């Protein structure tokens, strides 16, 4: 099923606790999708928590604000006041408020300990429902291979995020097929963006949706 607005689709169809996998090609301007559509749409009366591996979220944010009007700039800066950031590894996070900075690791026990503490900090005084976005997962998987996907799976299974809507943004040209298949397996929804004559957005998996 084709859709025209991912942001509106998330608000209208996705429930708390769902994992949403958004796959996009490397040439796709995903900063426009995230900062121009998804975050403005889901930010109303909601707390947004962001995982930012390698500062990829920050890079996309700066790419976006450099090309928007002063009016849109003021609007997005106001929205970032409702974003909490867990910064993982190197890079910056010039948007939102940083609740924790944790070192980059592919050791499951170390990742879990650091990540669990960060999640607890992010939950303090949070407004529900929560949306949880992950930036830089593709890069994390690329460098960490099997250990990286194990760390993410273990954290997803054990951390108290069952009420959160989790949105995984994945560059499908960077992630290996077995890793992508595992993410697809745990996702309630799969949104696939392909480039034909234009970019086509399709729902590939979802509750009651036709493929």
């Amino acid at each position: 099923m084709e859709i025209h607005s991912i942001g509106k689709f998330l608000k209208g169809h996705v429930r708390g606790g769902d994992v949403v996998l958004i796959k996009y090609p490397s040439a796709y301007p995903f900063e426009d999708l995230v900062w121009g559509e998804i975050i403005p749409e889901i930010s109303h009366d909601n707390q947004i928590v962001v995982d930012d591996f390698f500062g990829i979220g920050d890079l996309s944010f700066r790419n976006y604000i450099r090309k928007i009007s002063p009016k849109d700039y003021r609007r997005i800066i106001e929205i970032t006041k409702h974003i909490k950031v867990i910064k993982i590894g190197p890079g910056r996070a010039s948007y939102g408020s940083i609740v924790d900075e944790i070192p980059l690791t592919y050791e499951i026990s170390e990742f879990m300990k650091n990540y669990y503490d960060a999640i607890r900090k992010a939950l303090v005084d949070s407004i529900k429902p929560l949306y949880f976005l992950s930036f830089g997962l593709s890069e994390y998987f690329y460098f960490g291979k099997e250990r990286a996907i194990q760390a993410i799976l273990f954290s997803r299974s054990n951390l108290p995020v069952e009420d959160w809507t989790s949105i995984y943004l994945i560059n499908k040209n960077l992630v290996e097929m077995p890793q992508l298949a595992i993410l697809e397996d745990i996702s309630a929804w799969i949104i696939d963006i392909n480039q034909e004559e234009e970019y086509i957005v399709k729902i590939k998996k979802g509750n009651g949706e036709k493929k």
Side-chain angles (χ1 to χ4, degrees), residues 40-51:
E41 188 68 39
I42 68 176
S43 64
H44 303 294
D45 301 319
N46 294 308
Q47 180 72 57
I48 300 173
V49 180
V50 169
D51 267 349

Side-chain angles (χ1 to χ4, degrees), residues 98-116:
I98 298 175
V99 296
D100 205 358
E101 299 185 39
I102 64 178
L104 185 72
T105 179
Y106 298 102
E107 296 299 327
I108 294 177
S109 59
E110 184 180 352
F111 181 84
M112 276 294 298
K113 179 183 180 300
N114 295 333
Y115 200 48
Y116 186 79

Side-chain angles (χ1 to χ4, degrees), residues 20-203:
V20 182
L21 176 63
I22 300 177
K23 305 186 299 180
Y24 63 90
S26 57
Y28 182 73
F30 89 102
E31 66 272 11
D32 294 347
L33 170 65
V34 175
W35 297 103
E37 183 180 342
I38 292 178
I39 288 180
E41 188 68 39
I42 68 176
S43 64
H44 303 294
D45 301 319
N46 294 308
Q47 180 72 57
I48 300 173
V49 180
V50 169
D51 267 349
D52 199 340
F53 293 83
F54 299 103
I56 298 299
D58 182 73
L59 292 172
S60 70
F61 176 71
R62 285 186 280 157
N63 284 341
Y64 180 71
I65 63 174
R66 278 196 292 266
K67 57 185 177 182
I68 59 177
S69 68
K71 180 180 178 180
D72 289 335
Y73 176 84
R74 290 191 295 270
R75 181 174 67 96
I76 199 66
I77 292 299
E78 188 64 29
I79 288 172
T80 61
K81 295 178 181 178
H82 302 285
I83 298 176
K84 294 183 177 182
V85 183
I86 300 172
K87 194 170 85 67
I88 304 173
R92 298 171 52 193
S94 57
Y95 60 94
S97 59
I98 298 175
V99 296
D100 205 358
E101 299 185 39
I102 64 178
L104 185 72
T105 179
Y106 298 102
E107 296 299 327
I108 294 177
S109 59
E110 184 180 352
F111 181 84
M112 276 294 298
K113 179 183 180 300
N114 295 333
Y115 200 48
Y116 186 79
D117 290 341
I119 294 295
R120 289 179 60 189
K121 293 176 184 178
L123 284 171
V124 174
D125 298 326
S126 290
I127 305 169
K128 291 190 176 182
L130 293 174
Y131 284 89
F132 191 87
L133 275 76
S134 292
F135 287 111
L137 271 182
S138 304
E139 287 77 5
Y140 185 66
F141 293 150
Y142 177 79
F143 292 114
K145 307 301 180 185
E146 290 84 1
R147 291 186 300 165
I149 193 71
Q150 288 173 1
I152 295 302
L153 278 177
F154 195 79
S155 64
R156 180 72 205 180
S157 301
N158 290 276
L159 292 176
V161 295
E162 62 274 5
D163 295 329
W164 299 18
T165 297
S166 299
I167 302 171
Y168 295 156
L169 299 154
I170 295 293
N171 182 334
K172 58 186 176 182
N173 297 125
L174 191 58
V175 176
E176 295 177 357
M177 285 305 298
Q179 296 171 328
L180 197 56
I182 291 172
L183 291 176
E184 290 175 339
D185 216 22
I186 67 171
S187 298
W189 299 91
I190 299 173
I191 299 176
D192 193 20
I193 302 172
N194 288 299
Q195 185 173 14
E196 298 174 9
E197 292 184 358
E198 57 183 8
Y199 287 107
I200 304 296
V201 182
K202 292 184 178 181
I203 305 299

